[in-house]
Amino acid sequence: MQNIRVEIPRTTNVGNYVVYDLEILLEFNKSRTERFRVSKRFSDFVQFRQLLLNRHLTDLPNLPSKLSSFYKLSSALIEERRTGLANFSQTILNDKKLRMNHEVLNFFSIPKSIISEFNMITSSKDGIEGISTGGKYIIIDSAQHWMDSFKTVKSMLQNARGKMFASDNVVEIRKILKDCEFNQKILKDYLSNNRDLGAGEINRRNSLLESQISELNDLNYTLSNMKFNEQHVKVPLNSNILRDTGNTTSRRIFGKPKETSETKKYDNKGLLQYQQQKMAHQDQDLESLRDIIERQKQIGIAVNEELTIQNELLDGLGQQVDLSTEKMKNAKNKVNKII
C-alpha cells in the first residue's frame, strides 16, 4: 500500500524551460494528511537520480526519456514528463529506505522528523516488526533509526510521567511503562548485535540507554508508591492528603534556597508531584514549540521556492523585452532607410 502520493497539478514556463510543481501528500491516517510543495526542472530530476546512483543506490525507477524531445510536440512532451516525474517521485518516496536518505529529503524539502513520525505510524499497518509505541512500530535498521527510536521511547516516558499526575487511568500508565521496557530491550539488543558503529559510539549510546532505563525504574517505583494507584482516584495537588499529617519526620529541611508561595504548601511528596507535573507541562510546551518552528521552516521553504520561480519569470520577461526592443529598433532603422 502506497501511503505517499505525488501529483503534478500544474507546470510553469520559465524562459526556455518548464518548471514542474510537485504536490506531495503524506497520509498518516484517515484524519491526518501532511502536504508539501516543491518546484523542479526536468534537469533537476536527472541530476538527482545520478546523485543517488553515485551513492551506490540501485533499483531506482527510470525517468522519462530525454530523446522524446527530438520527435514529440512540446505539449505532448510536457504531459509525458509530468506523468513520468510524478510516478518517479512517488516510487522513491514509498521506498522505506530511500525516503530516509538525506539527499532524498533535501530534494523534496521534507523534514526528517516528519518522515520518522510517518514511518512510526504507517509501518504497523504493513505488519513490520519493530519498536512499540502504544500499538505503533518503528523500524530499527540503521544507527540513525536507533536514535529516532530512542527519542520515541523518551517521549513515551514523558507522556507516562504527565499521565501519572493528571489521570486516574492506572492501567494505561502501566501499559505505557511496559511498552517502554520492551522497547528498551530492542534498543539494547540492536547495540549488542551492531557491527557498524565504533566502540566509543556504542559505549555512548549504552550510557544514554542506561540513563533512560533508570528513569523508567524511577517512574515504576513512584507509580507503585502513589496512593491513587490503590484507590483508583485522582489526588489534587492542593488536597490535604498531600499536606503534613503531623509526622515531623516527613517535613522538609530547608536550606539556602528560598521557599516560594507555590511550594510552601507542599510536603516532600506533594512537592515531588508538583515538580514532575511542571516538567511534564514544560516538555509538552517545548514539543508544541518544535512543531510551530517546523511549520515556519516549511513556510519559509515554500516562500523561497515561489520567489525563485518569480525571479526566473521576471528574468525571462526581461529577456523578452530586450529582444522586442532590439527588433523594434531594427524595424525602425529599416523604415528610415525606406523613407
Side-chain angles (χ1 to χ4, degrees):
M1 179 180 177
Q2 293 187 333
N3 298 105
I4 299 180
R5 292 188 293 113
V6 179
E7 301 172 354
I8 303 182
R10 63 184 180 276
T11 59
T12 306
N13 292 317
V14 181
N16 298 325
Y17 57 87
V18 177
V19 174
Y20 298 86
D21 302 322
L22 282 77
E23 195 168 275
I24 305 166
L25 295 92
L26 278 67
E27 298 175 349
F28 285 76
N29 49 47
K30 292 182 179 180
S31 60
R32 180 186 176 189
T33 299
E34 293 282 349
R35 191 183 304 266
F36 300 92
R37 294 182 177 90
V38 65
S39 299
K40 299 290 182 182
R41 297 173 56 183
F42 179 76
S43 59
D44 295 331
F45 280 92
V46 174
Q47 295 173 6
F48 170 62
R49 189 177 188 277
Q50 187 58 49
L51 176 63
L52 295 182
L53 290 174
N54 293 340
R55 298 287 190 273
H56 306 291
L57 298 173
T58 57
D59 298 327
L60 299 176
N62 293 321
L63 291 169
S65 175
K66 294 182 182 179
L67 301 178
S68 301
S69 59
F70 292 110
Y71 61 87
K72 288 194 175 183
L73 297 175
S74 177
S75 58
L77 176 64
I78 292 175
E79 180 60 25
E80 178 186 276
R81 287 184 173 179
R82 188 182 69 83
T83 303
L85 294 178
N87 291 336
F88 171 84
S89 303
Q90 186 163 293
T91 303
I92 290 288
L93 290 173
N94 278 287
D95 187 299
K96 294 180 177 63
K97 291 186 178 180
L98 280 178
R99 69 185 178 213
M100 288 300 296
N101 184 278
H102 179 70
E103 281 79 10
V104 172
L105 294 178
N106 280 347
F107 184 80
F108 292 107
S109 299
I110 302 176
K112 190 167 187 178
S113 59
I114 294 293
I115 284 294
S116 297
E117 183 183 2
F118 180 79
N119 286 341
M120 176 188 71
I121 293 176
T122 60
S123 58
S124 62
K125 300 177 183 178
D126 302 326
I128 300 174
E129 183 178 359
I131 186 167
S132 167
T133 59
K136 309 302 182 184
Y137 295 87
I138 296 176
I139 307 166
I140 306 181
D141 57 2
S142 69
Q144 182 56 49
H145 289 174
W146 189 96
M147 288 302 302
D148 293 338
S149 302
F150 177 84
K151 293 175 182 177
T152 300
V153 177
K154 182 177 180 181
S155 177
M156 292 170 65
L157 290 173
Q158 292 172 350
N159 183 35
R161 184 186 296 113
K163 289 179 178 294
M164 192 175 295
F165 303 108
S167 171
D168 58 357
N169 193 342
V170 182
V171 176
E172 181 184 0
I173 298 172
R174 290 192 186 280
K175 184 180 183 303
I176 294 175
L177 296 180
K178 283 290 184 183
D179 286 342
C180 289
E181 183 178 359
F182 173 76
N183 296 335
Q184 287 173 346
K185 290 179 180 178
I186 295 177
L187 292 169
K188 196 169 189 66
D189 290 343
Y190 179 85
L191 291 178
S192 300
N193 299 322
N194 185 272
R195 297 293 180 269
D196 298 329
L197 296 173
E201 179 63 16
I202 289 178
N203 290 336
R204 186 183 75 86
R205 295 192 181 198
N206 273 321
S207 178
L208 289 173
L209 188 56
E210 288 299 327
S211 176
Q212 192 182 83
I213 291 173
S214 297
E215 182 181 359
L216 173 63
N217 292 336
D218 291 341
L219 287 176
N220 277 322
Y221 177 79
T222 303
L223 183 64
S224 64
N225 285 279
M226 290 185 67
K227 291 184 179 180
F228 75 80
N229 284 332
E230 301 169 358
Q231 301 172 356
H232 295 277
V233 295
K234 182 163 58 177
V235 180
L237 286 177
N238 59 355
S239 169
N240 289 331
I241 296 176
L242 302 180
R243 297 181 184 275
D244 184 21
T245 58
N247 184 357
T248 56
T249 59
S250 65
R251 298 299 296 171
R252 288 173 290 151
I253 299 175
F254 301 109
K256 292 183 179 180
K258 293 183 179 180
E259 188 75 4
T260 66
S261 58
E262 291 184 355
T263 61
K264 194 173 183 179
K265 55 187 175 182
Y266 302 129
D267 62 3
N268 282 339
K269 185 176 179 179
L271 183 60
L272 174 63
Q273 293 182 4
Y274 176 79
Q275 289 177 333
Q276 291 179 328
Q277 191 174 34
K278 275 283 189 182
M279 290 171 62
H281 289 162
Q282 289 171 354
D283 290 338
Q284 292 173 2
D285 291 341
L286 286 173
E287 190 66 25
S288 299
L289 179 61
R290 185 193 70 82
D291 293 339
I292 293 172
I293 293 174
E294 194 69 53
R295 179 58 58 189
Q296 291 296 325
K297 177 184 176 183
Q298 286 303 312
I299 293 174
I301 291 173
V303 170
N304 180 64
E305 291 283 349
E306 186 65 27
L307 287 175
T308 300
I309 293 174
Q310 294 297 329
N311 286 334
E312 291 175 343
L313 287 171
L314 289 173
D315 291 341
L317 179 61
Q319 293 174 2
Q320 292 179 2
V321 170
D322 293 340
L323 183 60
S324 298
T325 302
E326 189 65 28
K327 288 182 178 179
M328 288 290 294
K329 183 177 180 181
N330 292 335
K332 184 177 180 180
N333 290 335
K334 289 180 181 179
V335 170
N336 289 335
K337 287 181 181 179
I338 293 174
I339 295 176

